[in-house]
Amino acid sequence: MELFNVANLKSTSHKRARTSLIQISIWLFCGLLIQPVSAQENNQMSALELANKVLTRAANDGRAGNMHFTLHNDSGGVRKRSALFVHSVHQGDTKIGIYFTAPAALQNTGFLSYDKVSGSDENWLYLPATDRVRKLPASSKGDYFMGTDLTYGDIKDNFKFTLLDWDFALGKEQIVEQKRYLVLKGVTKSSSKASELGYSSFVARVDPDTYFPLEINYTDVDGIPLKTISVKRLERVSDAWIATHFTVTNAQLAHKTDVVLSDVKHVPDLPQSILTADELSYGVPSISGL
């Protein structure tokens, strides 16, 4: 009887050990199931943080320079355009003015973007042929700007992604020429927002040192690859990083726009009076030093 009890005790111990191992395995398995969810949540937070860093990177209180557009069509034709650009951040409001200087047919055509800290944003266009300053509707963001492959929204957003327009996620980091880049993905928050912007999603390769997107790939409202914006040269003007050479390639139209900025200067005392809708009709403003 004593031997039976000892054997029975050993059998019970073995059962308990097996039960413990089974419980540990279940816990480990559950941990593996839970881990990707936590990682996904962390990635989502990191994506939002990265998007915010791109959005809030340093900007000049005032700068101005010249823009040179070279338009290439699918048949090999080339057209060139030049403009003065003015950029200002004043009390949190951002204004961008673009005033065409060439060719003669476009001279004095002006565009003004006004993004407000509070209140609705405004975009204005002046066409000398009509001699009228016209306020553009919000739905015009996805329209192409003066025959280029840039939209009005591209000009206004200036290589940034508005948090109210997009849901963000992180992509797999990329290594280009032995440098590590972050990848930010975005999907429009609604179909109406996609129609407004002209895009349904994007994938951006972001420089972790400057938080400047060096390549952005957009899809159209149907999710079909549409165009790529590639930064060829990035320069620092005072405290802000500026894309002084970039290309916009439209895959659907076999069209490309090459944009070069020259003589870009920090203008801390930039007169705010020149960046108003009423001033657009006066043509290209005079900026000291340009």
Side-chain angles (χ1 to χ4, degrees), residues 65-71 78-86 97-111 126 128 145-148 150 155 257-263 283-285:
N66 296 307
M67 296 185 78
H68 309 279
F69 303 88
T70 303
L71 286 62
V78 175
R79 291 179 293 164
K80 295 190 176 184
R81 297 174 178 177
S82 298
L84 170 75
F85 82 88
V86 181
I98 298 178
Y99 312 87
F100 283 87
T101 55
L106 289 178
Q107 192 169 13
N108 292 323
T109 297
F111 169 72
Y126 172 70
F145 175 69
M146 304 303 295
T148 72
L150 289 163
I155 297 290
T257 301
D258 193 65
V259 183
V260 175
L261 275 60
S262 65
D263 302 314
V284 182

Side-chain angles (χ1 to χ4, degrees), residues 139 141-143 188 190-200 221:
S139 59
K141 284 183 181 179
D143 294 344
T188 48
S190 65
S191 58
S192 60
K193 182 60 68 175
S195 296
E196 176 186 324
L197 299 177
Y199 308 128
S200 61
V221 294

Side-chain angles (χ1 to χ4, degrees), residues 74-173:
D74 58 350
S75 61
V78 175
R79 291 179 293 164
K80 295 190 176 184
R81 297 174 178 177
S82 298
L84 170 75
F85 82 88
V86 181
H87 184 282
S88 168
V89 178
H90 181 68
Q91 296 181 350
D93 293 343
T94 301
K95 295 181 179 180
I96 299 174
I98 298 178
Y99 312 87
F100 283 87
T101 55
L106 289 178
Q107 192 169 13
N108 292 323
T109 297
F111 169 72
L112 174 65
S113 170
Y114 184 7
D115 286 5
K116 304 176 182 178
V117 173
S118 60
S120 301
D121 298 341
E122 298 177 354
N123 295 317
W124 302 84
L125 181 67
Y126 172 70
L127 298 174
T130 63
D131 194 25
R132 185 168 66 94
V133 177
R134 181 167 62 96
K135 186 176 182 180
L136 301 177
S139 59
S140 66
K141 284 183 181 179
D143 294 344
Y144 286 101
F145 175 69
M146 304 303 295
T148 72
D149 293 290
L150 289 163
T151 64
Y152 286 100
D154 294 333
I155 297 290
K156 184 182 75 68
D157 291 340
N158 192 30
F159 296 91
K160 298 180 179 181
F161 311 103
T162 306
L163 302 185
L164 295 177
D165 292 344
W166 303 93
D167 290 322
F168 300 100
L170 288 181
K172 185 178 180 181
E173 293 182 356

